[in-house]
CSV table of all heavy atoms in Angstrom, one decimal:
chain,number,residue,atom,x,y,z
A,187,SER,N,-132.5,24.0,100.3
A,187,SER,CA,-131.4,24.3,99.4
A,187,SER,C,-131.6,25.5,98.6
A,187,SER,O,-132.7,25.8,98.1
A,187,SER,CB,-131.2,23.1,98.5
A,187,SER,OG,-130.8,21.9,99.2
A,188,THR,N,-130.5,26.2,98.4
A,188,THR,CA,-130.6,27.6,97.7
A,188,THR,C,-129.7,27.6,96.5
A,188,THR,O,-128.6,26.9,96.5
A,188,THR,CB,-130.3,28.7,98.7
A,188,THR,OG1,-129.1,28.5,99.3
A,188,THR,CG2,-131.4,28.9,99.8
A,189,TYR,N,-130.0,28.5,95.6
A,189,TYR,CA,-129.2,28.6,94.4
A,189,TYR,C,-129.2,30.2,94.1
A,189,TYR,O,-130.2,30.8,94.3
A,189,TYR,CB,-129.9,27.9,93.1
A,189,TYR,CG,-130.3,26.5,93.5
A,189,TYR,CD1,-131.5,26.2,94.1
A,189,TYR,CD2,-129.3,25.5,93.3
A,189,TYR,CE1,-131.8,24.8,94.5
A,189,TYR,CE2,-129.6,24.2,93.6
A,189,TYR,CZ,-130.9,23.9,94.2
A,189,TYR,OH,-131.2,22.5,94.4
A,190,TYR,N,-128.1,30.6,93.7
A,190,TYR,CA,-128.0,32.1,93.4
A,190,TYR,C,-127.3,32.4,92.1
A,190,TYR,O,-126.5,31.6,91.5
A,190,TYR,CB,-127.1,32.8,94.5
A,190,TYR,CG,-127.6,32.6,95.9
A,190,TYR,CD1,-127.2,31.6,96.7
A,190,TYR,CD2,-128.5,33.4,96.4
A,190,TYR,CE1,-127.7,31.3,98.0
A,190,TYR,CE2,-129.1,33.3,97.6
A,190,TYR,CZ,-128.6,32.2,98.4
A,190,TYR,OH,-129.1,32.1,99.7
A,191,ALA,N,-127.7,33.6,91.6
A,191,ALA,CA,-127.1,34.1,90.4
A,191,ALA,C,-125.6,34.7,90.9
A,191,ALA,O,-125.5,35.0,92.0
A,191,ALA,CB,-127.8,35.4,89.8
A,192,ASP,N,-124.8,34.5,89.9
A,192,ASP,CA,-123.4,35.0,90.3
A,192,ASP,C,-123.3,36.4,90.7
A,192,ASP,O,-122.4,36.8,91.6
A,192,ASP,CB,-122.4,34.7,89.0
A,192,ASP,CG,-122.1,33.3,88.7
A,192,ASP,OD1,-122.4,32.4,89.6
A,192,ASP,OD2,-121.7,33.1,87.6
A,193,SER,N,-124.2,37.3,90.2
A,193,SER,CA,-124.1,38.6,90.5
A,193,SER,C,-124.5,39.0,91.9
A,193,SER,O,-124.1,40.1,92.4
A,193,SER,CB,-125.0,39.5,89.5
A,193,SER,OG,-126.4,38.9,89.6
A,194,VAL,N,-125.1,38.0,92.6
A,194,VAL,CA,-125.6,38.3,94.0
A,194,VAL,C,-125.0,37.4,95.0
A,194,VAL,O,-125.0,37.5,96.3
A,194,VAL,CB,-127.0,38.3,94.2
A,194,VAL,CG1,-127.7,39.2,93.2
A,194,VAL,CG2,-127.6,36.9,94.0
A,195,LYS,N,-124.2,36.3,94.5
A,195,LYS,CA,-123.6,35.3,95.4
A,195,LYS,C,-122.7,35.9,96.3
A,195,LYS,O,-121.9,36.8,95.9
A,195,LYS,CB,-122.9,34.3,94.6
A,195,LYS,CG,-122.7,32.9,95.2
A,195,LYS,CD,-122.2,32.0,94.2
A,195,LYS,CE,-123.2,31.6,93.1
A,195,LYS,NZ,-122.6,30.5,92.1
A,196,GLY,N,-122.9,35.6,97.6
A,196,GLY,CA,-122.0,36.1,98.6
A,196,GLY,C,-122.7,37.5,99.4
A,196,GLY,O,-122.2,37.9,100.4
A,197,ARG,N,-123.6,38.1,98.7
A,197,ARG,CA,-124.2,39.3,99.1
A,197,ARG,C,-125.6,39.1,99.6
A,197,ARG,O,-126.2,39.6,100.5
A,197,ARG,CB,-124.2,40.4,98.2
A,197,ARG,CG,-122.8,40.8,97.7
A,197,ARG,CD,-122.8,42.1,96.8
A,197,ARG,NE,-123.6,41.8,95.6
A,197,ARG,CZ,-124.6,42.5,95.3
A,197,ARG,NH1,-125.0,43.6,95.9
A,197,ARG,NH2,-125.1,42.3,94.0
A,198,PHE,N,-126.3,38.1,98.9
A,198,PHE,CA,-127.8,37.9,99.1
A,198,PHE,C,-127.9,36.5,99.7
A,198,PHE,O,-127.2,35.6,99.3
A,198,PHE,CB,-128.6,37.9,97.8
A,198,PHE,CG,-128.8,39.3,97.2
A,198,PHE,CD1,-128.0,40.4,97.7
A,198,PHE,CD2,-129.6,39.5,96.2
A,198,PHE,CE1,-128.2,41.7,97.1
A,198,PHE,CE2,-129.8,40.8,95.6
A,198,PHE,CZ,-129.0,41.9,96.0
A,199,THR,N,-128.9,36.4,100.6
A,199,THR,CA,-129.2,35.1,101.2
A,199,THR,C,-130.7,34.8,101.2
A,199,THR,O,-131.5,35.7,101.6
A,199,THR,CB,-128.8,35.0,102.6
A,199,THR,OG1,-127.3,35.3,102.7
A,199,THR,CG2,-129.0,33.6,103.2
A,200,CYS,N,-131.1,33.7,100.6
A,200,CYS,CA,-132.5,33.3,100.5
A,200,CYS,C,-132.8,32.2,101.5
A,200,CYS,O,-132.1,31.3,101.8
A,200,CYS,CB,-132.7,32.7,99.2
A,200,CYS,SG,-134.5,32.5,98.6
A,201,SER,N,-133.9,32.4,102.2
A,201,SER,CA,-134.2,31.5,103.3
A,201,SER,C,-135.8,31.4,103.4
A,201,SER,O,-136.6,32.1,102.7
A,201,SER,CB,-133.7,31.9,104.6
A,201,SER,OG,-134.3,33.2,105.0
A,202,ARG,N,-136.2,30.5,104.2
A,202,ARG,CA,-137.8,30.3,104.4
A,202,ARG,C,-138.0,30.0,105.8
A,202,ARG,O,-137.2,29.4,106.5
A,202,ARG,CB,-138.3,29.3,103.4
A,202,ARG,CG,-138.4,27.9,103.8
A,202,ARG,CD,-137.1,27.1,103.6
A,202,ARG,NE,-137.4,25.7,103.8
A,202,ARG,CZ,-136.8,25.0,104.8
A,202,ARG,NH1,-135.9,25.6,105.6
A,202,ARG,NH2,-136.9,23.8,104.9
A,203,ASP,N,-139.2,30.4,106.2
A,203,ASP,CA,-139.8,30.0,107.4
A,203,ASP,C,-141.0,29.2,107.2
A,203,ASP,O,-142.1,29.7,106.8
A,203,ASP,CB,-140.1,31.2,108.3
A,203,ASP,CG,-140.6,30.9,109.7
A,203,ASP,OD1,-141.2,29.7,109.9
A,203,ASP,OD2,-140.5,31.8,110.5
A,204,ASN,N,-140.9,27.9,107.4
A,204,ASN,CA,-142.1,26.9,107.1
A,204,ASN,C,-143.3,27.2,107.8
A,204,ASN,O,-144.4,27.2,107.4
A,204,ASN,CB,-141.7,25.6,107.3
A,204,ASN,CG,-140.7,25.0,106.3
A,204,ASN,OD1,-140.6,25.6,105.2
A,204,ASN,ND2,-140.0,23.9,106.5
A,205,THR,N,-143.1,27.7,109.2
A,205,THR,CA,-144.3,27.9,110.1
A,205,THR,C,-145.1,29.1,109.5
A,205,THR,O,-146.3,29.3,109.8
A,205,THR,CB,-143.8,28.2,111.4
A,205,THR,OG1,-142.9,29.3,111.5
A,205,THR,CG2,-142.9,27.0,111.9
A,206,LYS,N,-144.3,30.1,108.9
A,206,LYS,CA,-145.1,31.2,108.4
A,206,LYS,C,-145.3,31.2,106.8
A,206,LYS,O,-145.9,32.1,106.3
A,206,LYS,CB,-144.2,32.5,108.7
A,206,LYS,CG,-144.0,32.6,110.1
A,206,LYS,CD,-143.2,34.0,110.3
A,206,LYS,CE,-143.1,34.2,111.9
A,206,LYS,NZ,-142.2,35.5,112.1
A,207,ASN,N,-144.8,30.1,106.3
A,207,ASN,CA,-145.1,29.9,104.8
A,207,ASN,C,-144.5,31.2,104.1
A,207,ASN,O,-145.1,31.7,103.1
A,207,ASN,CB,-146.5,29.7,104.4
A,207,ASN,CG,-146.7,28.4,103.6
A,207,ASN,OD1,-145.9,27.5,103.7
A,207,ASN,ND2,-147.8,28.4,102.9
A,208,THR,N,-143.3,31.6,104.5
A,208,THR,CA,-142.7,32.8,103.9
A,208,THR,C,-141.4,32.6,103.5
A,208,THR,O,-140.5,31.9,104.2
A,208,THR,CB,-142.8,34.0,105.0
A,208,THR,OG1,-144.2,34.2,105.2
A,208,THR,CG2,-142.1,35.2,104.5
A,209,MET,N,-140.9,33.1,102.4
A,209,MET,CA,-139.6,33.1,101.9
A,209,MET,C,-138.9,34.5,102.0
A,209,MET,O,-139.7,35.5,102.0
A,209,MET,CB,-139.5,32.8,100.5
A,209,MET,CG,-138.2,32.7,99.8
A,209,MET,SD,-138.2,32.1,98.1
A,209,MET,CE,-139.1,33.4,97.3
A,210,TYR,N,-137.8,34.5,102.4
A,210,TYR,CA,-137.1,35.9,102.5
A,210,TYR,C,-135.8,36.0,101.6
A,210,TYR,O,-135.2,35.0,101.2
A,210,TYR,CB,-136.5,35.9,104.0
A,210,TYR,CG,-137.6,35.8,105.1
A,210,TYR,CD1,-137.7,34.6,105.7
A,210,TYR,CD2,-138.4,36.9,105.3
A,210,TYR,CE1,-138.8,34.3,106.6
A,210,TYR,CE2,-139.4,36.8,106.3
A,210,TYR,CZ,-139.5,35.5,106.9
A,210,TYR,OH,-140.6,35.4,107.9
A,211,LEU,N,-135.4,37.2,101.3
A,211,LEU,CA,-134.3,37.5,100.6
A,211,LEU,C,-133.6,38.6,101.4
A,211,LEU,O,-134.0,39.8,101.3
A,211,LEU,CB,-134.6,37.9,99.1
A,211,LEU,CG,-133.3,38.2,98.3
A,211,LEU,CD1,-132.6,36.9,97.9
A,211,LEU,CD2,-133.7,38.8,97.0
A,212,GLN,N,-132.5,38.2,102.1
A,212,GLN,CA,-131.6,39.2,102.8
A,212,GLN,C,-130.6,39.8,101.8
A,212,GLN,O,-129.8,39.0,101.2
A,212,GLN,CB,-131.0,38.5,103.9
A,212,GLN,CG,-130.0,39.5,104.8
A,212,GLN,CD,-130.7,40.6,105.4
A,212,GLN,OE1,-131.9,40.3,106.0
A,212,GLN,NE2,-130.3,41.8,105.3
A,213,MET,N,-130.6,41.0,101.5
A,213,MET,CA,-129.7,41.6,100.6
A,213,MET,C,-128.8,42.5,101.4
A,213,MET,O,-129.2,43.5,102.0
A,213,MET,CB,-130.6,42.4,99.6
A,213,MET,CG,-131.6,41.6,98.9
A,213,MET,SD,-132.5,42.5,97.6
A,213,MET,CE,-133.3,43.8,98.5
A,214,ASN,N,-127.5,42.2,101.3
A,214,ASN,CA,-126.5,43.0,102.0
A,214,ASN,C,-125.5,43.6,100.9
A,214,ASN,O,-125.5,43.1,99.8
A,214,ASN,CB,-125.6,42.1,102.9
A,214,ASN,CG,-126.5,41.6,104.0
A,214,ASN,OD1,-127.4,42.2,104.5
A,214,ASN,ND2,-126.2,40.4,104.6
A,215,SER,N,-124.7,44.6,101.3
A,215,SER,CA,-123.8,45.3,100.4
A,215,SER,C,-124.4,45.5,99.1
A,215,SER,O,-123.9,45.3,98.0
A,215,SER,CB,-122.6,44.4,100.1
A,215,SER,OG,-122.0,43.9,101.4
A,216,LEU,N,-125.6,46.3,99.2
A,216,LEU,CA,-126.3,46.5,98.0
A,216,LEU,C,-125.5,47.5,97.1
A,216,LEU,O,-124.9,48.4,97.6
A,216,LEU,CB,-127.7,47.1,98.4
A,216,LEU,CG,-128.7,46.1,98.8
A,216,LEU,CD1,-129.9,46.7,99.6
A,216,LEU,CD2,-129.2,45.3,97.6
A,217,LYS,N,-125.7,47.4,95.8
A,217,LYS,CA,-125.2,48.3,94.8
A,217,LYS,C,-126.2,49.0,93.9
A,217,LYS,O,-127.3,48.4,93.8
A,217,LYS,CB,-124.2,47.4,93.9
A,217,LYS,CG,-123.2,46.6,94.6
A,217,LYS,CD,-122.4,45.7,93.6
A,217,LYS,CE,-121.4,44.8,94.3
A,217,LYS,NZ,-120.8,43.8,93.4
A,218,PRO,N,-125.8,50.1,93.4
A,218,PRO,CA,-126.9,50.8,92.6
A,218,PRO,C,-127.4,49.9,91.4
A,218,PRO,O,-128.6,50.0,91.1
A,218,PRO,CB,-126.1,52.0,92.0
A,218,PRO,CG,-125.0,52.3,93.0
A,218,PRO,CD,-124.7,50.9,93.5
A,219,GLU,N,-126.6,49.0,91.0
A,219,GLU,CA,-127.0,48.0,89.9
A,219,GLU,C,-128.0,47.0,90.4
A,219,GLU,O,-128.5,46.2,89.6
A,219,GLU,CB,-125.9,47.4,89.2
A,219,GLU,CG,-124.8,46.7,90.1
A,219,GLU,CD,-123.7,47.5,90.5
A,219,GLU,OE1,-123.8,48.8,90.7
A,219,GLU,OE2,-122.5,47.0,90.4
A,220,ASP,N,-128.2,46.9,91.7
A,220,ASP,CA,-129.3,46.0,92.2
A,220,ASP,C,-130.6,46.7,92.2
A,220,ASP,O,-131.7,46.0,92.5
A,220,ASP,CB,-129.0,45.7,93.7
A,220,ASP,CG,-127.8,44.8,93.9
A,220,ASP,OD1,-127.5,43.8,93.0
A,220,ASP,OD2,-126.9,45.1,94.8
A,221,THR,N,-130.8,47.9,91.8
A,221,THR,CA,-132.0,48.6,91.7
A,221,THR,C,-132.9,48.0,90.7
A,221,THR,O,-132.5,47.7,89.5
A,221,THR,CB,-131.8,50.1,91.2
A,221,THR,OG1,-131.1,50.8,92.2
A,221,THR,CG2,-133.1,50.8,91.0
A,222,ALA,N,-134.1,47.6,91.1
A,222,ALA,CA,-135.0,46.8,90.3
A,222,ALA,C,-136.4,46.5,91.1
A,222,ALA,O,-136.5,46.8,92.1
A,222,ALA,CB,-134.4,45.5,89.8
A,223,VAL,N,-137.4,46.1,90.3
A,223,VAL,CA,-138.4,45.5,90.9
A,223,VAL,C,-138.2,44.1,91.2
A,223,VAL,O,-138.0,43.3,90.2
A,223,VAL,CB,-139.8,45.7,90.1
A,223,VAL,CG1,-141.0,45.0,90.6
A,223,VAL,CG2,-140.0,47.2,89.9
A,224,TYR,N,-138.3,43.6,92.4
A,224,TYR,CA,-138.1,42.3,92.8
A,224,TYR,C,-139.4,41.5,92.9
A,224,TYR,O,-140.3,42.0,93.6
A,224,TYR,CB,-137.3,42.2,94.1
A,224,TYR,CG,-135.8,42.5,93.9
A,224,TYR,CD1,-135.4,43.9,93.7
A,224,TYR,CD2,-134.9,41.6,94.0
A,224,TYR,CE1,-134.2,44.2,93.5
A,224,TYR,CE2,-133.5,42.0,93.8
A,224,TYR,CZ,-133.2,43.2,93.6
A,224,TYR,OH,-131.9,43.6,93.4
A,225,SER,N,-139.4,40.3,92.3
A,225,SER,CA,-140.7,39.5,92.4
A,225,SER,C,-140.3,38.1,92.9
A,225,SER,O,-139.3,37.6,92.5
A,225,SER,CB,-141.3,39.5,91.1
A,225,SER,OG,-141.7,40.7,90.5
A,226,CYS,N,-141.3,37.5,93.7
A,226,CYS,CA,-141.1,36.1,93.9
A,226,CYS,C,-142.0,35.4,93.1
A,226,CYS,O,-143.0,35.8,92.6
A,226,CYS,CB,-141.4,35.9,95.5
A,226,CYS,SG,-143.1,36.2,96.1
A,227,ALA,N,-141.6,34.0,93.0
A,227,ALA,CA,-142.4,33.1,92.1
A,227,ALA,C,-142.4,31.7,92.6
A,227,ALA,O,-141.5,31.4,93.5
A,227,ALA,CB,-141.8,33.2,90.6
A,228,ALA,N,-143.3,31.0,92.1
A,228,ALA,CA,-143.5,29.6,92.7
A,228,ALA,C,-143.9,28.7,91.6
A,228,ALA,O,-144.6,29.0,90.7
A,228,ALA,CB,-144.5,29.5,93.9
A,229,HIS,N,-143.3,27.4,91.8
A,229,HIS,CA,-143.7,26.3,90.9
A,229,HIS,C,-143.9,25.1,91.8
A,229,HIS,O,-142.9,24.8,92.5
A,229,HIS,CB,-142.7,26.1,89.8
A,229,HIS,CG,-142.9,24.9,89.0
A,229,HIS,ND1,-143.9,24.8,87.9
A,229,HIS,CD2,-142.5,23.7,89.0
A,229,HIS,CE1,-143.9,23.7,87.4
A,229,HIS,NE2,-143.1,22.9,88.1
């Protein structure tokens, strides 16, 4: 299950591959305001 900030909803997609223990963030229709350092986190 995924949850998104309103600012990226419909443009970004978060997914994971259990076999690779990897999470992805597919970012489409990028805007200049998306410029940032992106970090992943876990709990």
Side-chain angles (χ1 to χ4, degrees):
S187 297
T188 52
Y189 312 86
Y190 299 96
D192 288 342
S193 58
V194 306
K195 202 172 291 183
R197 300 188 298 123
F198 291 10
T199 302
C200 187
S201 63
R202 90 274 192 245
D203 184 334
N204 287 341
T205 64
K206 297 181 179 179
N207 237 24
T208 298
M209 177 176 66
Y210 303 98
L211 186 68
Q212 177 67 43
M213 305 185 295
N214 298 329
S215 302
L216 282 162
K217 305 175 182 179
E219 51 263 44
D220 294 319
T221 295
V223 174
Y224 284 71
S225 300
C226 65
H229 173 79

